[in-house]
Amino acid sequence: MDTIASLFSFITWPVSWVIVQFHTVYGAIFGPDTGWAWGLSIVSLVILIRICLIPLFVKQIKATRGMQTLQPEMKKIQERYKNDKQRQSEEMMKLYKETGTNPLSSCLPILAQSPFFFALYHVLNGIASGDTIGAVNQDLLESAQKAHIFGAPLASKFFSSESDVAALSASLTDVRVVTAIMIVLMSASQFFTQRQLMTKNVDTTVKTPFMQQQKMLMYVFPVMFAVFGVNFPVGVLVYWLTTNVWTMGQQMYVIRNNPTPGSKAQASYLERLHKSVTEHGKTRRRGEKAIVKAIVAKGRDRNEAERKFINGLNKAGLAAQADGTVVKSDTAVAAQSADGSTVATAAQPKRQQPKRQSKSQRQAKPAGEAEPKTSLTKSDEPQDAKPAGKQDAKPAAGAKKPAQKSGGGGRSKAQSGQRKGPQRPKSPSKK
């Protein structure tokens, strides 16, 4: 660890200078030789570093979600070129280039913190050995050696010898109890951060190897902190515990306000957003408009929670617009339904479809309604019962009757329901 820390000695002086400046402020409040002054100086260093790393954290979120989206395509490439590793790597790099995704972006915050972490370790190790380093002069060195956090010196470790701890005016029992508690808290905060990421902010509709890797890291990282934590000075444990708590709070904020699509966190967020929008009749914040705009743009590709959100707005008489705003349905031009099509609003009444009758209702004869006559039924009315002026003219006397057509001789006039004209003779039976 000392060898690795020496590699980052170029940043030791800036880190030590920042700590000294914070110590000057807190020393005037709590006293220059107290553990509060030095401990809060380290905590303030962490907060300053993490604020500067917020842009990298945003890139990490985008890279992680991009990798989650690409997992199905990556799996197809691995299966297609499983016997050609070189072609597989080329196709992977091509996929990353086309989508603008960088796998290393998810590791940027950790990589960016590493120099500050090892520089702080170098400073605290110099305090333990009694060497001035960076901006820490002899007076500050003596002050830091007197500073104890709950009875444990800043430069002491879990495996420090009893003589080394006695030289810093402390007991070995106090050092081991404090370091053990801090290591447990450090590992627990890391486990909780990774667990809430896996259980709440992961798209549950897609099962990919990436999820299995994240699940494995959820258990590996806490074990790594527990193993390496026994070799960290108390001041470094303060640094790492603070950065873990910051990461946990930052992750909770992102999960609550900008969840991953398809995750449980998104379903909870859309429920809260639906309640807020229906209460106020509009989206009030820029982040809410961005979420609604993204949901409207998906159209038919919306997941179950997003369709439920859009349907809930329609039932409440509201319509989500393409720019992320929400308006009342009677003033909307076209409100979108859950599958992306347009639905009728209050200004556009729905068309009423006629009620379909059953077969028995169609066949039933209504009371008082005469049965319709057909061409195949005999008429009971006499032929001469016709309206006045409509009587057929009788043939004049001496007029000849029309001759019957040949082929119908001997046959009587076709009865109702029988085919008129010459009948087809029956085939003779075989003897």
Side-chain angles (χ1 to χ4, degrees), residues 199-238:
T199 57
K200 295 182 179 180
N201 206 38
V202 172
D203 188 357
T204 56
T205 60
V206 180
K207 303 294 183 182
T208 61
F210 180 76
M211 296 178 61
Q212 298 297 328
Q213 295 174 4
Q214 292 293 321
K215 188 175 181 180
M216 181 180 65
L217 293 176
M218 181 172 65
Y219 297 98
V220 170
F221 276 148
V223 173
M224 290 177 58
F225 280 118
V227 171
F228 293 106
V230 294
N231 296 314
F232 291 162
V234 172
V236 174
L237 293 178
V238 172

Side-chain angles (χ1 to χ4, degrees), residues 20-42:
V20 168
Q21 302 306 312
F22 281 122
H23 175 263
T24 303
V25 176
Y26 293 119
I29 301 173
F30 301 101
D33 299 336
T34 60
W36 286 103
W38 286 99
L40 290 176
S41 299
I42 297 174

Side-chain angles (χ1 to χ4, degrees), residues 20 38 127 131-144:
V20 168
W38 286 99
I127 293 174
D131 298 330
T132 58
I133 184 171
V136 180
N137 54 30
Q138 188 63 34
D139 294 336
L140 293 172
L141 176 63
E142 294 176 358
S143 175

Side-chain angles (χ1 to χ4, degrees), residues 24-193:
T24 303
V25 176
Y26 293 119
I29 301 173
F30 301 101
D33 299 336
T34 60
W36 286 103
W38 286 99
L40 290 176
S41 299
I42 297 174
V43 171
S44 300
L45 172 68
V46 175
I47 295 174
L48 179 62
I49 293 173
R50 294 309 300 266
I51 290 175
C52 295
L53 294 179
I54 286 178
L56 294 180
F57 180 76
V58 174
K59 288 185 178 181
Q60 180 191 23
I61 295 175
K62 293 181 179 179
T64 303
R65 293 184 180 177
M67 292 296 295
Q68 291 175 351
T69 305
L70 292 180
Q71 286 303 311
E73 299 295 329
M74 294 171 63
K75 190 175 181 180
K76 291 179 183 178
I77 293 175
Q78 291 173 353
E79 293 177 353
R80 185 181 303 173
Y81 305 105
K82 58 183 178 181
N83 297 325
D84 191 351
K85 299 296 182 182
Q86 182 178 358
R87 181 66 183 277
Q88 186 181 118
S89 301
E90 292 176 357
E91 292 295 327
M92 288 286 190
M93 296 303 296
K94 183 179 179 180
L95 180 63
Y96 294 150
K97 186 177 181 180
E98 291 176 352
T99 57
T101 305
N102 187 359
L104 297 178
S105 297
S106 59
C107 303
L108 286 176
I110 296 177
L111 295 176
Q113 285 186 85
S114 298
F116 301 99
F117 172 79
F118 288 112
L120 178 63
Y121 180 89
H122 198 192
V123 171
L124 295 175
N125 195 42
I127 293 174
S129 59
D131 298 330
T132 58
I133 184 171
V136 180
N137 54 30
Q138 188 63 34
D139 294 336
L140 293 172
L141 176 63
E142 294 176 358
S143 175
Q145 288 179 340
K146 295 177 183 179
H148 293 178
I149 296 178
F150 300 107
L154 287 176
S156 59
K157 306 176 185 178
F158 183 85
F159 286 138
S160 295
S161 62
E162 189 172 358
S163 59
D164 293 339
V165 173
L168 297 174
S169 305
S171 66
L172 185 60
T173 303
D174 293 340
V175 171
R176 291 187 174 178
V177 169
V178 171
T179 53
I181 292 175
M182 296 182 72
I183 290 172
V184 170
L185 293 176
M186 185 174 61
S187 301
S189 59
Q190 178 66 33
F191 176 80
F192 182 78
T193 301

Side-chain angles (χ1 to χ4, degrees), residues 1-12 114-115 117-119 121-122 228 232:
M1 185 66 71
D2 294 339
T3 304
I4 298 176
S6 61
L7 296 176
F8 296 93
S9 58
F10 65 93
I11 202 173
T12 300
S114 298
F117 172 79
F118 288 112
Y121 180 89
H122 198 192
F228 293 106
F232 291 162

